[in-house]
Amino acid sequence: MGSMRNLDSGGLSRRALLQGAAALAVPFAGRGPAGQAQAAAPQAAGPRAVFAYVGCYTTAQRQARGDGIHTYRIEPQTGAWSHLQRLGELVNPSLLITSRDERFLYSVHGDEPYASSFTIDRKTGHLSLLNQAPTGGRNGVHQAIDSSGRFLVVANYGTGTVAVMPIAPDGKLEAFVDLAELHGAPGPNRTEQASSHPHQVVFDPSGRFVLVPDKGLDRVFVFQFDAASGKLRPTGQRSGSGPRHLAFHPSLAVVWVLNEINSTVTTYSWDAEHGALRPLQVLPTLAPDYTGDSTAAEIAVSPGGRFVYCSNRGHDSVALYAADPKTGLLASNGWVSTQGHSPRFICFDPSHRFLYAANEQSDTIVCYRTDAASGRLTPTGQVISNASPVTVAFAGGA
């Protein structure tokens, strides 16, 4: 593998539906940096408590070491994590998302044909399984909740579909009411783009449109969303280079699309009236002197949209960009090492003071303090041990 120039060197169901299966919630003996056992009993939290939920892969097919969803309490001032709960008996609870009122948590399951709902105990942060419902496809990799909180939209990576699942008032998921198939010619990469692979679902700021980056068909699909029925209607698409994830600028009519296969980030203008994308700029996510294999994974945007961050698996870094406040065009701001392997996921905590990088292949979540003025990331020295982490979701702290 090539060198990593400009890197900071500082510290830092099984078959369908698992019907009748009960989730196992047990206290967890965490592991410190050297693997020592550390008892961590559940504890009640005060009104300012922040809870983090870590999803993972669990199966041998994924060469994974995970064992369920892990719950942590985050100390509001220091950002220190303490382990509270492991919710076991779950297969590949990968991407997690909390409801807007933070009463419920939802998970899709890698390689499986269903999604799960959980209640969140607001005092302790503990999860309890509510139910599971079919997504109409396999290998759900991402989901989003509409602005009303009535629908969960799921990207089925394995079967090239997008499902819309009603959410009942008690938080339970219901069987899908719409299943949109994605059509088009596959991209040029015969291994990664043999068929449709939707990798994310994102509502635009108005809630009228759903954008779906499809890595396999090399396009970003745009659907109009009917808030009353939950139905999706295709309106357009834009070609890409293995688009994986995207993010909207919080105030400008701009969308940044992260392209997995060729490790680039594309800036698009967004036509909010018609739901259309127009490309403006393409930048690499890798350092110019890097020659090894790498794929882009996740994108995160700072408050106000001043800075954009993209993770690289292989280069094992986070690429930093400064965004022009008038146009949204990006300028490279360097790279920081994730201090681990294959950072599948990065995200901000609710306060946006910290950014976390989840290193899937080295079983760590690394914490960085963010500089609001420069966008730079500084490792705090805190490294959370969690097997095969692929996502982090939060509740509390607002």
Side-chain angles (χ1 to χ4, degrees):
M1 295 173 60
S3 62
M4 294 177 63
R5 192 178 69 172
N6 295 330
L7 291 183
D8 291 347
S9 58
L12 219 320
S13 255
R14 311 210 157 140
R15 298 189 187 273
L17 290 194
L18 294 177
Q19 292 181 353
L24 177 63
V26 298
F28 173 74
R31 290 188 299 275
Q36 308 98 320
Q38 298 176 336
Q43 53 183 310
R48 296 187 63 192
V50 179
F51 300 107
Y53 303 95
V54 179
C56 67
Y57 286 126
T58 64
T59 61
Q61 179 183 353
R62 293 271 180 173
Q63 298 180 335
R65 300 154 300 284
D67 57 1
I69 299 174
H70 286 262
T71 303
Y72 299 84
R73 183 184 186 274
I74 303 178
E75 203 287 318
Q77 297 303 318
T78 66
W81 289 34
S82 56
H83 193 277
L84 298 178
Q85 180 196 28
R86 177 180 71 87
L87 196 67
E89 298 299 317
L90 299 169
V91 177
N92 294 329
S94 50
L95 199 286
L96 309 179
I97 187 174
T98 53
S99 61
R100 295 179 185 273
D101 60 8
E102 298 183 346
R103 296 172 56 205
F104 308 104
L105 180 139
Y106 299 94
S107 173
V108 288
H109 297 263
D111 305 320
E112 300 300 313
Y114 56 86
S116 300
S117 64
F118 306 85
T119 57
I120 298 175
D121 186 304
R122 292 189 174 185
K123 292 184 178 180
T124 66
H126 283 203
L127 300 176
S128 299
L129 178 66
L130 269 176
N131 80 320
Q132 295 171 325
T135 64
R138 299 194 72 86
N139 194 13
V141 292
H142 195 271
Q143 75 270 55
I145 300 173
D146 79 309
S147 60
S148 73
R150 296 176 52 229
F151 297 101
L152 184 78
V153 184
V154 176
N156 290 314
Y157 182 93
T159 47
T161 57
V162 177
V164 182
M165 307 174 69
I167 300 174
D170 63 0
K172 291 182 179 179
L173 292 173
E174 299 176 355
F176 60 92
V177 295
D178 196 17
L179 190 66
E181 296 184 359
L182 304 181
H183 299 286
N189 188 309
R190 295 186 178 181
T191 301
E192 296 292 332
Q193 298 180 310
S195 62
S196 171
H197 292 311
H199 216 299
Q200 191 189 32
V201 287
V202 179
F203 282 92
D204 83 313
S206 73
R208 296 173 50 227
F209 297 99
V210 176
L211 281 70
V212 182
D214 189 317
K215 186 181 81 173
L217 300 186
D218 216 32
R219 294 167 173 82
V220 177
F221 288 87
V222 180
F223 293 89
Q224 191 166 17
F225 178 74
D226 187 322
S229 66
K231 300 292 185 179
L232 296 170
R233 182 173 66 84
T235 63
Q237 58 184 257
R238 170 65 58 183
S239 297
S241 300
R244 175 185 174 95
H245 282 189
L246 61 83
F248 278 86
H249 189 287
S251 57
L252 299 178
V254 167
V255 179
W256 295 295
V257 176
L258 185 64
N259 302 300
E260 175 179 335
I261 294 175
N262 71 351
S263 296
T264 60
V265 57
T266 304
T267 302
Y268 291 91
S269 66
W270 170 245
D271 183 336
E273 181 179 355
H274 302 98
L277 294 165
R278 180 172 63 87
L280 302 175
Q281 176 197 45
V282 180
L283 289 179
T285 66
L286 298 174
D289 59 352
Y290 180 78
T291 58
D293 293 332
S294 191
T295 57
E298 185 58 282
I299 184 169
V301 179
S302 69
R306 293 185 62 193
F307 304 104
V308 175
Y309 305 85
C310 301
S311 69
N312 294 300
R313 297 175 296 180
H315 192 242
D316 294 336
S317 66
V318 176
L320 287 62
Y321 303 91
D324 186 288
K326 294 182 179 180
T327 65
L329 296 178
L330 301 180
S332 177
N333 199 22
W335 293 263
V336 61
S337 169
T338 63
Q339 303 180 23
H341 302 299
S342 193
R344 186 184 187 93
F345 186 81
I346 58 173
C347 68
F348 287 98
D349 77 314
S351 74
H352 290 92
R353 293 184 300 133
F354 301 103
L355 182 137
Y356 297 99
N359 294 304
E360 180 185 359
Q361 297 304 323
S362 53
D363 301 336
T364 58
I365 301 169
V366 179
C367 179
Y368 300 84
R369 188 176 297 276
T370 62
D371 187 305
S374 68
R376 301 297 295 176
L377 302 176
T378 302
T380 66
Q382 183 182 18
V383 179
I384 299 97
S385 296
N386 192 289
S388 302
V390 297
T391 188
V392 183
F394 297 95

